[in-house]
Amino acid sequence: MQTMNRFVYLDHSATTPVDQKVLEAMLPFFSMDFGNPNSLHAWGRKARQAVDQARDEVSRLINAEPSEIIFTGGGSEADNIAIKGVALAKKDKGRHIITSAIEHHAVLDTCKWLEKEGFDITILPVDEYGTIRPEELRKAIRPDTILVTIHFANNEIGTVQPIEQLGNICREQDVLFHTDAVQAAGHIPIDVKKLPIDLMTMAAHKMYGPKGVGALYIKKGVKIVPLIHGGGQERGLRSGTENTAGIVGFGKAAALASDRLAKGEPEKERNLRDRLIDGILEKIEDAMLTGHRTERLPFHASFCFHYIEGESLLLRLDALGIGASSGSACTSGSLEPSHVLLAIGLPHEIAHGSLRLTLGKDTSEEDIDYVLENLPKVVESLRVMSPYGKRG
Ligand SMILES: *Cc1c(COP(=O)(O)O)cnc(C)c1O
């Protein structure tokens, strides 16, 4: 047995640790500052002020107006509110929605549910890098198209989409454009005043904030039907007493992300990522990078290794103190290869050998060295026992 000498968390696409400063900002709202933001007394006012400040911080991250942000119970909820909310608001105008084959299940399964409810869904294909071709979108838009929902960047293969081109096509055709930016927000600069985006999803826990809180950007003038009815919070679009502590944590995480982006810190992450990618492709035979080489998230590296099984690889890495993923957290554990890897055209046996390594702001050179030293050995030893052939 190898001894465990390091813990290297490389699964930041699944979730990020809560930043210490975020935790500190949140703590008072679990104790002395417990007020309901909807109450008129001092306790309530204190909470309301904190929620307002968080809304300012989240809006500043993407250059939106505070009134264009509603807080939700996470990324999946924001996707549901956006897609179902637009579908219900526009159903008399048309019932056609366009999405892509490599969306997160929060988008894909919402669209599939709407299909059963009488909407018509077009699922756009992607190329071998996981890019949605703008011409494909242009061809798919019809007079009854009411919404296009295409993610900003992919969680499994890291590819960043040509959002500006895709959004411009929607604008020309007068179709609403929603983008799930859960992986991108806080990591690459996004300016909703410059980009043609009508609705955009974010989640705090993918940018060093807490889990269970997200936000939906809704451009001024865009109408959606609410799914959660009640006290009328969040402009009536998401009723329920605000998750004050979570929202405060999201605000702080967004403010810290704005600072990191302003200082150009993702560049450091990008350099480490490139060292990891180059090292792996050099040291391991029959390894391929999945996703786009350059148009990809700065912290994201993903691969397929021939002749091995991703699940066994994860277990061996775990035993070495390395936290990785073989795709999205929701699909790991099942035997079906991910819909994303199949959509970029990989055959089943290769898609099975997938590995995703996603870096964070605190990932060090030493962490990368540790992976580069151990991963090739692990892959080699698994191939020796592989049922997929080669040396097996
Ligand atoms: C994580 C993720 C989600 C889901 O967000 P939750 O806050 O976990 O509900 C949605 N879309 C993408 C692209 C994600 O990576």
Side-chain angles (χ1 to χ4, degrees):
M1 274 272 106
Q2 268 142 329
T3 50
M4 190 186 285
N5 44 8
R6 234 188 142 80
F7 281 105
V8 180
Y9 180 78
L10 289 177
D11 202 10
H12 292 82
S13 273
T15 197
T16 56
V18 170
D19 190 297
Q20 188 63 33
K21 293 198 182 94
V22 168
L23 178 64
E24 280 161 20
M26 291 172 72
L27 284 176
F29 295 91
F30 290 110
S31 52
M32 61 203 190
D33 297 331
F34 61 84
N36 184 326
N38 307 291
S39 304
L40 295 178
H41 45 59
W43 292 266
R45 287 197 309 271
K46 178 109 197 224
R48 172 57 58 199
Q49 200 187 2
V51 169
D52 286 347
Q53 185 187 327
R55 204 182 306 279
D56 286 348
E57 290 164 325
V58 170
S59 64
R60 220 174 303 132
L61 175 65
I62 57 165
N63 198 23
E65 298 303 318
S67 59
E68 295 174 313
I69 299 292
I70 65 163
F71 288 111
T72 69
S76 302
E77 187 183 299
D79 283 338
N80 274 262
I81 292 175
I83 298 166
K84 292 175 191 169
V86 167
L88 294 176
K90 295 243 171 205
K91 65 180 191 313
D92 295 331
K93 194 173 164 257
R95 290 178 160 245
H96 181 228
I97 295 172
I98 300 173
T99 188
S100 89
I102 63 169
E103 298 298 313
H104 190 275
H105 283 293
V107 168
L108 267 184
D109 292 4
T110 298
C111 289
K112 284 178 185 160
W113 180 81
L114 282 169
E115 192 165 42
K116 280 194 257 161
E117 297 296 312
F119 287 83
D120 203 359
I121 310 293
T122 295
I123 299 180
L124 297 177
V126 295
D127 68 13
E128 63 198 296
Y129 305 110
T131 306
I132 290 117
R133 296 236 166 94
E135 342 46 292
E136 297 275 356
L137 173 61
R138 194 187 294 280
K139 277 191 288 178
I141 292 180
R142 315 191 306 217
D144 61 336
T145 307
I146 51 172
L147 175 69
V148 171
T149 171
I150 293 175
H151 62 332
F152 207 111
N154 188 267
N155 49 313
E156 292 187 42
I157 57 173
T159 301
V160 176
Q161 299 301 332
I163 288 298
E164 185 165 11
Q165 285 168 275
L166 297 169
N168 277 334
I169 293 170
C170 296
R171 282 276 152 90
E172 284 162 23
Q173 310 282 330
D174 202 19
V175 172
L176 289 176
F177 183 50
H178 166 250
T179 186
D180 173 339
V182 171
Q183 291 289 329
H187 300 279
I188 52 181
I190 297 178
D191 181 336
V192 293
K193 291 208 166 56
K194 293 206 178 112
L195 288 172
I197 295 169
D198 297 304
L199 303 109
M200 185 170 85
T201 296
M202 293 176 276
H205 78 108
K206 307 276 174 86
M207 55 168 105
Y208 308 98
K211 293 166 186 58
V213 55
L216 181 63
Y217 159 76
I218 309 171
K219 191 178 180 62
K220 189 168 184 288
V222 171
K223 297 270 178 296
I224 65 169
V225 167
L227 306 181
I228 309 286
H229 300 94
Q233 290 89 348
E234 298 300 302
R235 293 195 289 122
L237 296 176
R238 204 280 190 176
S239 283
T241 303
E242 295 85 344
N243 171 7
T244 313
I247 288 169
V248 166
F250 191 5
K252 187 70 187 177
L256 292 169
S258 299
D259 288 348
R260 281 194 302 278
L261 286 169
K263 288 194 213 129
E265 275 184 38
E267 206 46 43
K268 276 198 309 202
E269 229 168 58
R270 192 189 302 274
N271 290 336
L272 278 185
R273 175 204 72 183
D274 287 344
R275 211 156 74 71
L276 180 67
I277 292 176
D278 294 342
I280 288 177
L281 295 180
E282 186 189 302
K283 286 169 184 249
I284 305 177
E285 266 180 64
D286 293 322
M288 67 175 283
L289 182 76
T290 54
H292 202 283
R293 180 65 188 87
T294 52
E295 294 302 310
R296 71 185 297 131
L297 292 164
F299 57 90
H300 198 292
S302 55
F303 308 88
C304 276
F305 303 110
H306 290 41
Y307 324 112
I308 61 169
E309 236 265 300
E311 303 282 308
S312 349
L313 183 54
L314 291 190
L315 295 178
R316 297 286 286 271
L317 291 175
D318 185 35
L320 287 162
I322 299 170
S325 156
S326 68
S328 68
C330 357
T331 48
S332 58
S334 81
L335 281 173
E336 256 310 282
S338 105
H339 65 291
V340 177
L341 299 176
L342 297 179
I344 60 173
L346 295 180
H348 271 66
E349 66 277 14
I350 292 175
H352 270 301
S354 64
L355 177 70
R356 180 181 76 180
L357 300 168
T358 43
L359 291 66
K361 64 185 174 63
D362 298 321
T363 303
S364 66
E365 295 268 347
E366 292 74 26
D367 292 336
I368 300 302
D369 290 340
Y370 183 68
V371 174
L372 287 177
E373 183 188 313
N374 285 285
L375 181 62
K377 295 183 209 162
V378 173
V379 169
E380 181 61 26
S381 79
L382 287 171
R383 280 179 177 168
V384 170
M385 345 185 286
S386 167
Y388 294 102
K390 180 102 175 170
R391 273 151 280 199

